[in-house]
Amino acid sequence: MASAPDNYKIYAIKYAHHDRPARDNFLGGDSHDVNMPLDYFVWAVVGAGRTFLVDSGFDVEDGARRGRTTTHKVEEGLGALGIAPESVEDVIITHMHYDHAGNRSLFPKARYHVQDREMAYCTGRCMCHGVLSHPFDPEDVKTMVGRVFDGRVEFHDGDTQLASGLSVHRVGGHTDGLQVVRVHTERGWVVLASDASHLYANMDQKRPFPAVYNVGDMLEGYRRVHELADSAQHVVPGHDPAVLTRYATHSRETEGWIVRLDTAPR
Ligand SMILES: [Zn+2]
Ligand SMILES: [Zn+2]
């Protein structure tokens, strides 16, 4: 008989912020002339015996170059959880965009989990097109290629279980090899959608984000993340500031920037 999947705690750690008009968040724009900011997150998935980091964020300099404000360095967020970056052994990279695959020297011991198709995409002919290559930092891509040669990359093709209660699933759409992470918690199966849906509004209203490789796959992705999760309340978008108000804070000191996704949202 199969044993019950392991449970994890999940922390969403906000590290940066960007103000932008609502029209920048929807393919075809938006008629509301309002600010609709993005927050930037990494996620720590903490099990009894193993911790997985989901995405590595960007550092202050790489963010500033693109006009993004770092609110707390990624290492500061991890420190608040008692996680030393040099002790991190597994980093799941949802996709290779600069805001998910930076902080290149922060995790010297980590093995990186990436989809086959993401590495092919970010090193292939699509990068000849500025509109597709713009969100990638070539230094992140070169560093990941170096890790391949150092034996520090674990490739995945589609759906892979990494541990009891934790798996990755290729969704594509936003980038060709975008993967989401499914995590078992005390409240059931939670899905970290990352940029499969930047905001709640993208997936809830089925209105794609404009940074997109394949619109059809992005729309299918909205359905897929909901299939993988126990309910709509179990799907966590990649950049929505509302995540920080819907979920319980980790501690008084981290109010407004670190929340617990393994607890039920408000
Ligand atoms: Zn992205
Ligand atoms: Zn992103």
Side-chain angles (χ1 to χ4, degrees):
M1 204 176 81
S3 56
D6 287 357
N7 284 341
Y8 296 81
K9 293 176 179 149
I10 315 175
Y11 302 89
I13 305 166
K14 171 190 170 179
Y15 69 92
H17 182 82
H18 183 53
D19 284 315
R20 48 164 57 205
R23 64 173 179 273
D24 287 5
N25 293 329
F26 302 99
L27 194 65
D30 187 88
S31 58
H32 302 88
D33 185 21
V34 293
N35 182 35
M36 200 172 191
L38 298 186
D39 278 345
Y40 294 77
F41 297 93
V42 297
W43 300 270
V45 178
V46 180
R50 232 171 134 183
T51 291
F52 292 81
L53 185 63
V54 178
D55 289 340
S56 55
F58 53 65
D59 63 26
V60 175
E61 296 74 37
D62 286 349
R65 216 159 346 98
R66 291 175 187 255
R68 270 59 171 171
T69 310
T70 296
T71 48
H72 295 274
K73 292 181 181 178
V74 167
E75 53 267 46
E76 196 187 327
L78 294 173
L81 300 176
I83 300 170
E86 55 277 11
S87 74
V88 171
E89 293 184 352
D90 291 279
V91 178
I92 298 167
I93 296 289
T94 62
H95 63 304
M96 285 294 294
H97 279 168
Y98 82 99
D99 53 323
H100 298 261
N103 279 307
R104 293 177 288 277
S105 52
L106 198 54
F107 305 104
K109 274 200 358 211
R111 170 183 338 123
Y112 286 77
H113 298 268
V114 187
Q115 286 282 326
D116 287 323
R117 281 172 70 163
E118 187 67 2
M119 279 307 281
Y121 178 64
C122 73
T123 55
R125 65 163 66 212
C126 282
M127 296 303 103
C128 300
H129 303 295
V131 67
L132 296 177
S133 69
H134 175 74
F136 292 89
D137 186 326
E139 294 308 317
D140 295 340
V141 176
K142 288 185 228 170
T143 301
M144 194 62 82
V145 171
R147 291 186 193 118
V148 172
F149 283 82
D150 290 342
R152 293 179 57 205
V153 173
E154 204 169 301
F155 283 102
H156 303 294
D157 177 15
D159 303 338
T160 307
Q161 184 173 327
L162 300 185
S164 170
L166 191 145
S167 53
V168 294
H169 306 266
R170 190 194 78 86
V171 161
H174 174 64
T175 64
D176 194 34
L178 177 99
Q179 59 185 349
V180 302
V181 184
R182 184 177 193 237
V183 185
H184 198 260
T185 68
E186 253 173 28
R187 71 175 176 115
W189 290 104
V190 170
V191 171
L192 301 174
S194 184
D195 291 3
S197 189
H198 281 62
L199 302 166
Y200 284 107
N202 296 118
M203 57 184 170
D204 291 351
Q205 300 168 20
K206 299 183 171 49
R207 295 167 65 200
F209 192 80
V212 55
Y213 167 67
N214 182 312
V215 176
D217 285 353
M218 185 177 271
L219 289 164
E220 286 295 308
Y222 298 149
R223 188 179 52 76
R224 180 88 167 115
V225 294
H226 284 93
E227 267 172 17
L228 290 167
D230 271 357
S231 82
Q233 303 290 306
H234 290 74
V235 181
V236 183
H239 287 275
D240 201 318
V243 167
L244 295 169
T245 53
R246 291 191 190 192
Y247 287 94
T249 187
H250 159 58
S251 69
R252 203 131 41 94
E253 293 71 43
T254 61
E255 181 125 39
W257 62 288
I258 302 182
V259 292
R260 284 276 297 273
L261 303 176
D262 52 302
T263 63
R266 285 193 272 273

